[in-house]
Amino acid sequence: MSFKAAVLVFPGSNCDRDCKVAVERSTGGHVDMVWHQDTALPSGLDLIVVPGGFSYGDYLRCGAMASLSPVMAEVVKAAERGVNVIGICNGFQILCESGLLPGALMRNNTLKYICKPIELKVENHNTAFTQGFTPGKSVWMTQGNADGNFVADADTLNAIEGNGQVVFRYVENPNGSANDIAGLMNERGNVLGMMPHPDRAFEAELGSDDGAILFRSLMERVAA
Amino acid sequence: MKAKVHVFLKPGVLDVQGKAVEGALNGLSTVQGWANVSHVRVGKVLEFDVAATTAEEAKAQVKDMCDKLLANTVIESYTIEVA
């Protein structure tokens, strides 16, 4: 049975199609697009992707309004059932705002929109998202955001570090993110949020195909 | 009833916009003299009407709005005025 994923689409999403193509080409799986007003998700999903972009124009706070859209209530329920969820860039912000992940993402401490390839260290290889990455080898993906500066209070940071929830770290911190955190998962290990884009690094022609390893890791974990 | 909500980053959370504005105000001092400005914080004000019978009821509803949407209490604090 082939890998089955859904990509959410909010008004202002702009990486939704990239995510669909990235998952399809990385896994050979089937990807449905799900509108933010929908009140049901396709059945039998292996992965829900919350894509990057500028949902609701980034008004109020990045991801705040999207986190309250009807489809997110279904995503929260699916995550509680154990369905894998990945939020990329604006998707990471939405997952934090929805409470599926701890902490918050603030304006980059440089005050600049950062758009460049970025080097990452895989901090935890023992996750559904990262089991396929080669230990000791750094990973390249693309960063593209103005609000990627992860913050959390000291107790939360201690907890997520202690639980192995930090999945990716920046080799050179571009934005002031606490503990160089670039990607973070929930305690259960089925919800991942990350600022760098695996969906912009899934074929060598894009400068890196490391992003495909993430989607294939999930496929292999689900098939196992 | 008229509600007014002020949202600011919590003390201790780096306010990069505030820092930038402070730098600009200080930087202008060679021309005009605002080197005396410090601790600038940039926040938001939201104003809206809320239908409620008492100020207490309105305030309770606005507090709920703040906790669920208008502020992210991980990084922001808020104050509410109802009149």
Side-chain angles (χ1 to χ4, degrees):
Chain A
M1 205 174 72
S2 82
F3 191 71
K4 200 171 170 198
V7 177
L8 307 187
V9 185
F10 300 95
S13 294
N14 67 4
C15 299
D16 43 331
R17 192 175 172 281
D18 300 35
C19 287
K20 177 177 164 71
V21 174
V23 175
E24 283 174 347
R25 293 199 191 167
S26 302
T27 68
H30 176 82
V31 181
D32 284 317
M33 308 303 276
V34 178
W35 184 235
H36 70 120
Q37 295 284 16
D38 288 357
T39 51
L41 291 164
S43 60
L45 288 177
D46 298 310
L47 173 67
I48 299 165
V49 183
V50 190
F54 301 84
S55 59
Y56 295 87
D58 275 350
Y59 299 152
L60 192 64
R61 289 182 313 280
C62 300
M65 282 182 274
S67 75
L68 295 181
S69 57
V71 77
M72 281 306 296
E74 298 307 308
V75 172
V76 170
K77 282 187 219 158
E80 284 165 1
R81 289 198 306 272
V83 175
N84 296 303
V85 179
I86 180 170
I88 302 161
C89 198
N90 190 218
F92 186 8
Q93 294 159 346
I94 293 167
L95 294 182
C96 286
E97 286 282 346
S98 73
L100 281 171
L101 291 173
L105 291 141
M106 292 181 52
R107 184 58 46 95
N108 296 333
N109 69 348
T110 57
L111 288 174
K112 292 197 171 99
Y113 187 97
I114 297 169
C115 187
K116 62 177 184 182
I118 202 144
E119 187 178 11
L120 304 170
K121 178 175 184 244
V122 180
E123 195 61 41
N124 185 346
H125 282 85
N126 189 25
T127 81
F129 303 93
T130 55
Q131 58 179 3
F133 288 98
T134 308
K137 190 168 175 283
S138 65
V139 166
W140 285 88
M141 292 183 196
T142 306
Q143 189 87 341
N145 65 70
D147 297 77
N149 178 357
F150 180 79
V151 283
D153 62 38
D155 289 345
T156 305
L157 282 174
N158 283 338
I160 62 183
E161 291 286 354
N163 295 335
Q165 288 173 245
V166 178
V167 178
F168 294 103
R169 267 190 238 276
Y170 299 112
V171 172
E172 284 179 49
N173 192 331
N175 54 21
S177 207
N179 295 10
D180 306 326
I181 290 171
L184 169 77
M185 64 180 186
N186 64 345
E187 202 171 344
R188 181 171 175 173
N190 67 316
V191 178
L192 171 72
M194 59 193 299
M195 289 319 291
H197 285 265
D199 52 314
R200 293 183 192 170
F202 62 90
E203 285 176 353
E205 289 78 359
L206 299 170
S208 167
D209 57 1
D210 290 334
I213 301 173
L214 187 151
F215 297 119
R216 278 202 283 274
S217 292
L218 275 168
M219 181 180 67
E220 283 158 17
R221 175 65 68 97
V222 167
Chain B
M1 248 167 265
K2 289 267 179 213
K4 194 185 263 191
V5 175
H6 293 256
V7 181
F8 278 91
L9 288 169
K10 285 178 175 172
V13 175
L14 176 66
D15 179 356
V16 286
Q17 280 193 80
K19 279 263 178 266
V21 172
E22 186 174 316
L25 287 169
N26 294 161
L28 292 170
S29 65
T30 50
V31 185
Q32 211 164 342
W34 290 305
N36 54 336
V37 171
S38 62
H39 300 99
V40 175
R41 310 286 284 176
V42 175
K44 288 174 226 170
V45 182
L46 298 102
E47 283 185 324
F48 48 91
D49 295 334
V50 54
T53 45
T54 65
E56 285 69 33
E57 186 194 335
K59 208 164 182 176
Q61 285 191 39
V62 175
K63 185 178 182 310
D64 200 30
M65 294 174 206
C66 287
D67 290 333
K68 290 193 175 127
L69 175 65
L70 302 181
N72 179 341
T73 54
V74 174
I75 49 173
E76 294 170 327
S77 56
Y78 58 82
T79 57
I80 299 167
E81 292 168 38
V82 173

